[in-house]
Amino acid sequence: APKISINISPKFSNKGVGGALLRELIQRSRTSDIKFLTAEILKTNLNSFHFFLKNNFKLENVETRVLNGEKSDVSVLSLKLSD
């Protein structure tokens, strides 16, 4: 499955840039017949977690993964785009 990462420079944080990028991604995904989007976020990244919740993503589960040789909890959120 295709993957994308949205990283916003701190100087553009809380200025609507991330929301605009996500809205564009959602719109293009719908016109490409993509059924859902999934976000995987380190559990410690509360700003990103709340950003996706604010944009109608729902928490599916929390998984423990090995990242860079260390165990980390990852929150998995999803957004259903169509039936």
Side-chain angles (χ1 to χ4, degrees):
K3 294 193 178 204
I4 188 168
S5 177
I6 298 176
N7 296 293
I8 305 299
S9 169
K11 72 179 183 177
F12 295 109
S13 184
N14 296 313
K15 292 187 167 64
V17 175
L21 288 170
L22 184 59
R23 283 189 298 279
E24 182 69 17
L25 174 64
I26 291 168
Q27 188 271 332
R28 288 179 183 237
S29 297
R30 284 188 170 125
T31 61
S32 299
D33 202 33
I34 293 173
K35 306 288 185 214
F36 65 92
L37 298 174
T38 302
E40 298 178 351
I41 303 161
L42 287 173
K43 196 170 178 190
T44 57
N45 188 345
L46 295 177
N47 287 339
S48 185
F49 180 78
H50 290 292
F51 168 79
F52 281 97
L53 287 179
K54 184 174 80 172
N55 285 281
N56 301 314
F57 280 68
K58 305 292 183 222
L59 179 63
E60 297 293 333
N61 59 32
V62 177
E63 301 173 358
T64 301
R65 304 217 182 129
V66 177
L67 304 170
N68 299 321
E70 295 184 22
K71 287 185 178 180
S72 298
D73 288 333
V74 176
S75 298
V76 180
L77 299 95
S78 67
L79 176 67
K80 186 175 180 183
L81 299 176
S82 63
D83 293 326

